[in-house]
Amino acid sequence: VVTVLASLPLGSYVEFRPKRPVMIAADLARFAAGASIPVAAAFGLLSFAQLCLVAAVYSLGQLAFNAASQANLVNLVSREHVVDANGRLQSTTWASVTLGPAAGGALIAALSAVGTILLDAVSYLASAAAVWRIRAAEPAPATRAGTSRHAELVEGLRYVASRPTLRRLLLSWMAFAGCVGMTAPLNTLFYLRDLHFSAWQYGLLMGVPSIGGLVGSRLATRAARRMGTVRALWWASVLRGPWNLLIVFASPGVAGLVMCGIGFGGTLFFASLANSIMVGYRQLRTPDRLLARVATLWALATTVAQPLFIAAGGALAVWLGDRGALAVAAVVMVATAFILSRKDDAASPR
């Protein structure tokens, strides 16, 4: 709800302000929110309302930080390195996904849940310090064009709607992100209820295949240079879906566990490859004055699409069973590639 209500207004707010101070403020807000939990717990004052408020602050902070950082990135690297820079950022995300659950479990055992939350809050201070240490001069933010505030809110949407490749890219992303949201609970049910995997096997499936995402993100630049950005994005998008069929046809036992691991890893490999190229292409084809608003538009699209697809996935599972619903999701994932344009838009608006 926070993301849906705040995406467009926050994107407009970030657009007309220096980006690094926004990133630092977002990190400091998340530090303060996270640190409030162990403080309240120490005094016996922790409540559900406070946890909801902290979650809202985290959502707003992530939204603001991502919008500002994506707008700032294109001013830190040259055009030919934008895709590579996004691949490197994606690789850090996948590294945290791969190592995070195990590290989190170890930290909870050593420090308790409250201590781990405090450590997580402190990590935002480290992030703020890292942003503060960037020494490259930041360009002046975009200036208001004298249009109404309503026009400013939807200008990013209007720009994307006017560019065929970006418009198709957004629609394809919404469908794919929706399928990802739909398969997450279905996979859990399928693994535990139908395939009878144990808790440690389920944990293995949630962690190890993420290495595929890490590798895929690092190969984004090579693929874009060899095939061209749009063509590489199209092929990566086509290939991210069929791997899910290995999960659909898996059976209980070690062989099924291996099939699910390979299927999930293959999906993450090509999805990460596609995402790294997609974000870089979007940044290069969006004017500097709209970067933050277009970034928050993507966040809004994800937030709207996923609950709808999750509900549809539940209905399909009732009608077709878990395997049938996962098979439909795999087919739709492949179909999302055919929404994409095979031709590039005009040269960069910068």
Side-chain angles (χ1 to χ4, degrees):
V1 174
V2 171
T3 302
V4 171
L5 295 177
S7 292
L8 296 182
L10 192 57
S12 181
Y13 175 86
V14 171
E15 200 77 81
F16 301 108
R17 283 160 180 79
K19 305 304 181 288
R20 286 174 215 159
V22 170
M23 295 162 67
I24 292 172
D27 278 335
L28 294 179
R30 287 183 285 182
F31 161 72
S36 73
I37 293 177
V39 171
F43 289 95
L45 300 174
L46 187 61
S47 65
F48 179 71
Q50 180 182 348
L51 294 177
C52 290
L53 180 60
V54 169
V57 172
Y58 269 43
S59 294
L60 289 172
Q62 181 178 358
L63 189 62
F65 187 95
N66 288 347
S69 63
Q70 290 187 28
N72 184 61
L73 177 66
V74 297
N75 296 310
L76 291 176
V77 299
S78 58
R79 285 177 49 82
E80 59 269 21
H81 291 117
V82 168
V83 173
D84 183 55
N86 280 290
R88 290 175 184 271
L89 290 175
Q90 284 264 335
S91 68
T92 61
T93 300
W94 286 110
S96 68
V97 170
T98 303
L99 302 175
L107 286 171
I108 290 173
L111 303 176
S112 78
V114 172
T116 303
I117 290 173
L118 179 59
L119 185 61
D120 178 68
V122 171
S123 72
Y124 289 110
L125 283 182
S127 174
V131 174
W132 178 75
R133 286 178 58 83
I134 298 175
R135 294 294 177 247
E138 182 178 352
T143 57
R144 297 187 184 278
T147 56
S148 68
R149 291 302 173 90
H150 177 267
E152 288 178 355
L153 289 178
V154 299
E155 190 174 2
L157 174 60
R158 286 178 175 172
Y159 178 79
V160 170
S162 70
R163 310 284 291 189
T165 302
L166 284 177
R167 182 175 66 245
R168 288 170 174 255
L169 190 60
L170 178 60
L171 293 174
S172 175
W173 169 251
M174 288 182 67
F176 177 73
C179 284
V180 170
M182 181 173 78
T183 57
L186 291 176
N187 278 333
T188 298
L189 287 174
F190 186 59
Y191 293 155
L192 299 178
R193 185 176 64 187
D194 297 10
L195 300 185
H196 309 293
F197 290 153
S198 64
W200 73 266
Q201 289 174 322
Y202 176 76
L204 199 66
L205 283 174
M206 292 298 99
V208 174
S210 299
I211 296 173
L214 176 63
V215 175
S217 63
R218 296 303 297 122
L219 294 178
T221 301
R222 185 179 302 178
R225 287 176 178 171
R226 177 168 297 185
M227 303 175 66
T229 303
V230 173
R231 189 161 177 258
L233 174 59
W234 190 85
W235 276 109
S237 300
V238 169
L239 294 173
R240 65 193 175 190
W243 294 89
N244 280 278
L245 293 175
L246 286 176
I247 299 175
V248 172
F249 292 110
S251 57
V254 175
L257 182 66
V258 172
M259 287 178 65
C260 291
I262 294 174
F264 193 30
T267 297
L268 294 182
F269 174 86
F270 285 105
S272 178
L273 179 64
N275 289 355
S276 299
I277 298 172
M278 176 192 72
V279 175
Y281 176 84
R282 190 184 74 209
Q283 289 169 325
L284 290 172
R285 291 296 178 268
T286 302
D288 289 349
R289 63 183 178 82
L290 294 175
L291 282 168
R293 282 173 282 183
V294 170
T296 53
L297 173 62
W298 247 255
L300 174 62
T302 304
T303 305
V304 170
Q306 287 192 331
L308 298 177
F309 274 77
I310 290 171
L316 285 172
V318 171
W319 182 33
L320 301 175
D322 296 339
R323 286 185 193 270
L326 288 171
V328 171
V331 172
V332 174
M333 280 187 182
V334 174
T336 61
F338 296 90
I339 301 174
L340 295 170
S341 175
R342 301 293 296 275
K343 297 187 299 182
D344 199 352
D345 280 336
S348 170
R350 273 189 255 307

